[in-house]
Every structure is written in C-alpha cells, then in structure tokens.
Amino acid sequence: MDAQGRGRADNIDPADQWVLNPNTGEYELRLTPPAPQPSVPGPRRPGAQSPNGDVPSGRSTDASSGRAADASSRRSTGPSGRQQAREAAPARTVPGPRRRRGTPPEEPPPGRRGRRPQKKSRTKKVLVWTGGTMAFVLVGAGCAGYLVLKHLEGNISSTDVGSAAKNGFSKDEAFNILIIGTDKRTGKGNEGYGDKGSVGHADTNILLHVSKDRTNATALSIPRDLIVDVPDCPTKQPDGSTKVIPGTEDVRFNTSLGQDGRDAGCTMRTVKEVTGIEPDHFMMADFNAVKTLTTAVGGVEVCLKHAVDDPDSHLKLSAGSHKIAGEQALAFVRTRHSFGNQGDLDRIKVQQQFLSSLMRKMASSDTLTNPAKLYDLADAATKALTVDKGISKVNTLKDMALELKKVPTKNITFLTVPVLDNPADGPVHKTVIIDPNKAPAVFSTIQNDVSFTEVKKKQQQAKDAEAARLKGSQSAASEVRVRVLNGGGPDGAAQETLTWLQNTEGVLKSENGGNAPEKIDKTTLEYSPDQAPQARKLAALMGLAGSALKPGESVTNAQGLPEMTLTLGKDFKGAGVPLTGPTKAPKVEGQSTADKVQCAS
C-alpha cells in the first residue's frame, strides 16, 4: 500500500467500514482494504483526459498537468498519457481521503489545485451509521444479557425437597406456589429483630394458585397459629442422605418449618395434608426480602385509617397514605398490636394489603419501562429468595413471572383460610382451627381451578361447554365398557374402583388397565363421540365434573371391542367418592383483590 493508501486507512470514517450487501440486504463490517481497481477504464468523467491525451475544452490544463506531474514523480517509469489520466483520477468506487472529526482540513500541496470533494448521500450515511450502531448495540446487549443472567443465577439459593416439589415448570398448566416468609433472624440486617436464636419457622404463608387459562389467581393465606398435624417428612441431609423427620399432631402450622430440622418440603407436605391442595414449588424469604424488594421498586404505597405508633415493631406513621420502603416497610408487615384485635389474623389482612400494593407497583409502567429499576428488582428478588431445585434457574423464574404477569390484578384474589378459635385454648384464644363448614368449599374451589372473581365471558363459555357434556341421554350401566388406569391415586386404586363398579354399580364390561404412563392431577374419562351416552352414565355414577370428560378416541380391548379410558388422578378420594368440583366459588369473609386500594385499620 502506498503513502496515499495508508493515509486513507488511518483516517477512514467508521461509517465507511459498514457496507450494504445487496445479496442479503444487511450491512456488513469490512475491515480489509478495497481490492485494486481493474485497468479497464470506466466511463469518462467531466474533466478527465480523452483517450488521445487531449484536455476537453473549458478546463484548465494546469490541473491535468499537475496531476500528471504528480503521478510521474511517484513512478520509476513514465506512463503513457492515458495511464497518467487513470492514475490521476481515482476510480469511482474507491473513497477519497477522509479527515478525522474535529481536525482542520488539510491544505492542498504547493503548486497543486485542490480537487472538489465528492458529496456522500446523506441518506446512505444515516443508514450506514444506523446499521453500524445497531450492530454494536446488539452485540453489547447480548454480552450484557449473558453477564446479567450469570450474575442473577449466582444469587439464587435452592433446597432439594425431593418429591415434595415438581422437577420443572409447565407454561400450559395451572400451578401452585407456596410462598413462605420465615422469622429467621440470622444474617446481615436481621440482628435487631426479636429472638436471635430462631431456627426460622413458617411465620407468613401464602399458597398462590394461578389458573390454567391465566385469567385469575388466588392467594390463600394460612395462619401460622393454625393447629395442624405435621406429617412425616423425608429431608435431604448435607451429606446427600435422606432423613425422615417424624410428624407431630396438634401443633402450630409454623412448626412445619425449622422445628427438628424440617425444611420447606415439610411445609409443602403439611399444606397438602391440611388443604388437599398440592404445592408444585416453594419460594422462601426472610426479613431482608421486604426491605430489599421495596427499596428496589422505589417504595410501596400504603394507607392507614388511624395513626400507628407501635413500640414493638417501631412503626410510626400518621393516618393517611404513605410510601414506605426498607426498614419502615418491614416494620409495617410485622406490626400486629396496632391493628384490629391485635392478633395474627388482623396482621394477615395488613400483609395482604401490602402485597396488593407491591403487585400494583411492580406491574406499573414506571417499573416495567425502567431497565435500571427492573435490574435492581431482579437482583433483589434473586438474592432474597430460596427456592426448590425445580425452579432454581433464572430462566425458569422468568417464565413463571411472565405467566403470572398475564393475570389482571383485578382477578388476583387475597383471602385467608376460614378458621375458628381453638376451643382447647380456654378463655384466652392463642390458636385457631379449620372451620369445617366453610374451609372445604374454599379448598375445593382452588383444586378445581375455579376463580373467586368474575372472569372473561370467553372463559365462562368454555366452562359452560364442559358442563354441557353431562347433558343428554345415558346408557345402562350394563352397556358401559371402560378400562380403568391408575394415574395418581394410591396403590390399588384402579382395582378398588373396578371392584366397586362391577359389584356395586353393575358396570360388568370393565377391566383393570394397570398404571397409567404418567401421573396426572385430575381424573379424566376419554371416549369417542359415539360413546358419549356411556361417558355420561359413568360420570353420573362416579360424580365426575364435565371438565373430566375428554372427547377423543376410544381404545380397542383384547376382544377387538371399543372401550373408554378412565384414568384416576391425584384427586381420587376412594371408590364411590364423588369427584364433582364446584362451578362457582364461595364468598369468603375478608377477601379482596389486588387492584383495590385498602387502608389498614
């Protein structure tokens, strides 16, 4: 490369390094110098010499002779006039020298007239710069995204709770997350709260159910002072072995965690024991979570009906609305003696109001459109949480958050397990028990994925269509032909059901199909269209809901005859026990939705 070529490379405009590829329509970064131009001359330009060496009329001979002289001085052999013209006039596709931004223009060499600069298309320059800038932005974002992902991944703590949690997360199913707030005082920032020796009991407990169609969600609070039976808990030990911690009867719910070395899997099993609802995963946080999350979103709005000055939690706020974060937010959710009857049930209501406000803030545009705030929120959340192995990856947590984001806040219902004062406490009531008349309906509503709020008409139409499957003629029991599979019930459930159908209900054309290929949550009955009358009869005998009926295809038995397939799910309660779920949720005292602003009282 000659001196002139080196000058161009050193001072090249970065925009000129991005070239449009006509084959792909994309701009490409080209760092290599352009190839030498062919010796075949292109079309003549105004001011260039003619093939015979003449200068066109109207042009100064000084410029052409100067260029020819300059070209001759750079070559050891004198070129012909035609070659001199080509040397003197650079090819059209080779850009001329460019000066750096901010530097003064070069003076033309002595005795030589400066050539008029060629104007570059403004549109092309904008496109080139846009293409180049966007490429660098995308590359930078990709690297940053990877580094952020690895950083967040390193924040997450996880616990192996074995079979108490699922191995992964499905975007296509309803899911239940048990959210646990512990009273553990260890760790930076927690030294000043109450019992420093606490092992970390299940102080705050919310079972969050997100519907399959993502139109609604239910946040069910479970009182820490609820008297329950904690089942035996297989618990992973540090050396990888499993230790079964014996269960206990008639104890507070909060002892399902921490006590005797119990992990969050024990709390999940206790929830299933009490409610019949099986949590899929858990998320656990300590006191620091409230402080860091509220700070990350820039504070949470709360409302008080009267002034509070609580010496135990150190909360001091006047009546009205306030934005709280950090220590003040933690004091707000810990305060008990300044609300209602100064008990845990009234504190639960305050915590639900606080979480509703936090949800609204996290879903607001000023949070979702602020990258810095989103990063702070993700960083704080991942540092604050301990989760099960099934959701310990950042991408999994992201998927779960995006599914929850689909639920409108007006359809997120907060309610508390219906309870009664524990009669065993005597005159001073310290604990509560399940209300046997009201609680089962609440549990059944959640189990059957029924909303506590009015959902969109489209979803209601789908539920009506499911109910319509039960309407119509029914076959005689003796004409029902079915194969029974166990897909989630206890061992022997298929044979138990088969015996009941044959001996009690007269369904003689039935057989035991053994275990299903996979476990399912809810019992299903699959049948072909011409078997609909048989399906309706079996549904009536077993108490199946319309949602359990799955129109599809029949299977052929050993005799070559078509038969329906009944697959017993985890909801199986025993042969002859109806499985019909509610179609409408009950009204629960104190229930609220996340879109409503309420004041603590």
Side-chain angles (χ1 to χ4, degrees), residues 62 84 142 152 168 174 189-190 229-230 339 390 472 476 501 509 525 553:
D62 294 341
Q84 288 176 352
L152 297 177
N190 288 335
D229 293 341
V230 177
F339 298 122
L501 286 172
K509 297 177 182 178
L525 176 61
E553 297 180 357

Side-chain angles (χ1 to χ4, degrees), residues 151-195:
H151 169 74
L152 297 177
E153 200 85 64
N155 286 348
I156 301 173
S157 299
S158 63
T159 300
D160 186 354
V161 294
S163 62
K166 290 186 175 180
N167 291 329
F169 170 72
S170 173
K171 297 180 182 179
D172 303 319
E173 299 294 334
F175 61 93
N176 301 314
I177 306 294
L178 180 60
I179 302 169
I180 306 171
T182 76
D183 59 356
K184 196 170 185 177
R185 270 74 171 175
T186 59
K188 185 178 180 181
N190 288 335
E191 300 87 351
Y193 301 120
D195 180 12

